[in-house]
Amino acid sequence: GAKALEVHQEDVALSFLPLGHAFERMVAYVYLLCGVTVVFAESFETLGRDILTVKPTVLTGVPRVYEKLHGRIMDKGQAGSWLKTALFRWAIDTGKPRARAILQGHDPSPLTSKQNALADQLVFDKIRVGLGGRIRYLVSGSAPLATSVAEFFYGIGLPVIEGYGLTETAPILTVNPPEAPRAGTVGKTVEGVELRIAADGEILARGPNVMPGYYKKAQATTDVLKDGWFHTGDIGAIDPHGYLSITDRKKDLLVTSGGKKIAPQPIEAVLKRSPIISEAVVLGDRRKYAAALIVPDFKALDRRLQDLGRPPHHGSRQELLARSDVLALYQEIVEAL
């Protein structure tokens, strides 16, 4: 973990995930080992304020945090005058080719680099200052981070180091190397860990970090530890260069009545990247087709209606969600997906 994260005594970390969370617990141990100053946020709700106070150099979070942060930055960047909005959109579009080149292992073209330097000076630097101005990189774990979100942060000059592991593996198996990240993957195995893909696509792991077993649960232990290999329950693939990508949880795969297998997490992730969606669950097991249950983010929805010059809602939430213009906003997201 310490080798993968590359932190040192000059770093300041802002911690906001629960320390009972295996990912944050491991990160805290790494911080202590490396002499990093750790500051604890007052709460998740005060994160925006606390970042400006602490000015961290490294931040660890789950994909949901970065998805929401991405949404807030996009909303704020497009809330000004038409000129500021146009400049913001140009800058974001300029950052994408550079990010894609880095995340595919290529050098950005000279033109891309020049445009990006200008975008950095005019727009990206201000975004980073809004996050304290000192972040060297972000760390994402616990679930797959959407490629488009990773590209966005790389584009604005905030690299995201993504890793993968489970509580049972203490909890790190792979990390995307900062010097050679690859989009859509969770990186390569850390030192001492072996991975292989079973015939049904399940990721199997072996190494000194794998648990000896579940406490007083012999059968549960036997179910996941077989011939020295821990069965993760995740479906994935390893490319020729050793980078692991994850499709979904094995038990979460939906099988329609027509026999089609659907991985719900990638679909849910796309839906939840929208600022006006708080949660989304894809259903479809033993049904003819897949459907999604969507929970709106009502504060973000209010802001969106205000930005569009639409009438605000004064009645119940049920009345708001029955409005044709509100339904159209969500229908647009679903159709795009």
Side-chain angles (χ1 to χ4, degrees), residues 65 97 196 204 283 317:
V65 172
R196 68 181 175 92
L204 311 184
L283 310 167
R317 287 178 169 180

Side-chain angles (χ1 to χ4, degrees), residues 226-272:
K226 301 168 187 175
D227 300 322
W229 290 91
F230 173 67
H231 290 57
T232 65
D234 289 316
I235 303 292
I238 300 171
D239 73 10
H241 302 288
Y243 288 84
L244 175 70
S245 56
I246 300 164
T247 310
D248 215 309
R249 288 291 290 169
K250 188 176 177 179
K251 66 180 181 182
D252 287 348
L253 290 176
L254 306 176
V255 183
T256 65
S257 56
K260 182 177 176 63
K261 289 184 178 178
I262 299 172
Q265 281 189 14
I267 302 170
E268 291 165 356
V270 171
L271 290 170
K272 290 191 285 187

Side-chain angles (χ1 to χ4, degrees), residues 2 22 28 36 44 55-56 82 101 113-114 128 141 160 162 188 216 226 234-235 248 267 269 317:
V36 174
F44 188 71
K55 295 181 172 56
W82 71 267
S113 296
K114 284 181 180 177
R128 295 195 298 268
V160 185
E162 191 174 5
K188 298 181 174 184
K216 292 187 177 180
K226 301 168 187 175
D234 289 316
I235 303 292
D248 215 309
I267 302 170
R317 287 178 169 180

Side-chain angles (χ1 to χ4, degrees), residues 2-337:
K3 289 180 181 177
L5 286 180
E6 296 184 2
V7 287
H8 42 69
Q9 288 186 352
E10 286 73 38
D11 277 308
V12 177
L14 181 64
S15 176
F16 55 89
L17 294 178
L19 285 174
H21 194 295
F23 170 53
E24 191 70 4
R25 178 73 65 94
M26 181 275 294
V27 167
Y29 289 153
V30 170
Y31 289 158
L32 292 171
L33 177 69
C34 299
V36 174
T37 299
V38 185
V39 183
F40 295 97
E42 182 180 336
S43 70
F44 188 71
E45 286 69 33
T46 63
L47 196 54
R49 180 203 69 189
D50 296 344
I51 283 178
L52 289 173
T53 304
V54 175
K55 295 181 172 56
T57 62
V58 61
L59 207 62
T60 56
V62 293
R64 195 82 185 100
V65 172
Y66 300 122
E67 287 164 6
K68 284 300 178 188
L69 184 57
H70 166 241
R72 279 203 292 271
I73 293 170
M74 290 300 292
D75 277 355
K76 191 174 180 181
Q78 298 175 103
S81 66
W82 71 267
L83 185 60
K84 282 185 177 178
T85 298
L87 179 62
F88 175 81
R89 286 176 176 165
W90 168 81
I92 295 298
D93 288 343
T94 297
K96 286 177 183 175
R98 177 177 171 273
R100 282 174 188 155
I102 292 169
L103 289 168
Q104 290 168 10
H106 308 306
D107 290 326
S109 70
L111 176 61
T112 295
S113 296
K114 284 181 180 177
Q115 287 178 329
N116 208 255
L118 182 59
D120 198 88
Q121 188 178 351
L122 296 174
V123 178
F124 300 155
D125 185 59
K126 293 177 178 65
I127 294 173
R128 295 195 298 268
V129 167
L131 296 172
R134 297 200 305 168
I135 294 175
R136 294 197 295 119
Y137 59 79
L138 308 168
V139 182
S140 181
S142 296
L145 182 70
T147 300
S148 60
V149 177
E151 286 177 353
F152 170 82
F153 283 107
Y154 268 93
I156 66 172
L158 291 174
V160 185
I161 294 177
E162 191 174 5
Y164 162 72
L166 299 93
T167 303
E168 292 93 335
T169 62
I172 187 170
L173 290 170
T174 67
V175 170
N176 242 312
E179 72 283 357
R182 292 295 178 270
T185 80
V186 288
K188 298 181 174 184
T189 53
V190 294
E191 192 176 314
V193 169
E194 294 176 80
L195 292 183
R196 68 181 175 92
I197 307 298
D200 63 357
E202 186 175 6
I203 302 163
L204 311 184
R206 185 164 67 181
N209 55 323
V210 173
M211 65 167 188
Y214 294 114
Y215 183 61
K216 292 187 177 180
K217 291 188 177 179
Q219 186 55 52
T221 300
T222 303
D223 290 343
V224 297
L225 285 172
K226 301 168 187 175
D227 300 322
W229 290 91
F230 173 67
H231 290 57
T232 65
D234 289 316
I235 303 292
I238 300 171
D239 73 10
H241 302 288
Y243 288 84
L244 175 70
S245 56
I246 300 164
T247 310
D248 215 309
R249 288 291 290 169
K250 188 176 177 179
K251 66 180 181 182
D252 287 348
L253 290 176
L254 306 176
V255 183
T256 65
S257 56
K260 182 177 176 63
K261 289 184 178 178
I262 299 172
Q265 281 189 14
I267 302 170
E268 291 165 356
V270 171
L271 290 170
K272 290 191 285 187
R273 281 206 300 278
S274 167
I276 63 171
I277 292 178
S278 177
E279 289 294 342
V281 179
V282 173
L283 310 167
D285 212 39
R286 298 185 299 278
R287 297 170 186 264
K288 291 179 183 176
Y289 51 83
L293 174 64
I294 291 171
V295 180
D297 184 320
F298 287 98
K299 286 184 181 177
L301 178 56
D302 285 342
R303 287 196 298 271
R304 178 68 60 84
L305 292 173
Q306 191 176 357
D307 292 344
L308 293 171
R310 307 262 178 90
H313 83 284
H314 300 293
S316 67
R317 287 178 169 180
Q318 285 82 356
E319 289 169 332
L320 173 67
L321 297 180
R323 274 171 47 176
S324 58
D325 62 329
V326 171
L327 288 172
L329 290 175
Y330 288 95
Q331 190 63 41
E332 186 181 348
I333 296 164
V334 173
E335 285 176 0
L337 165 67

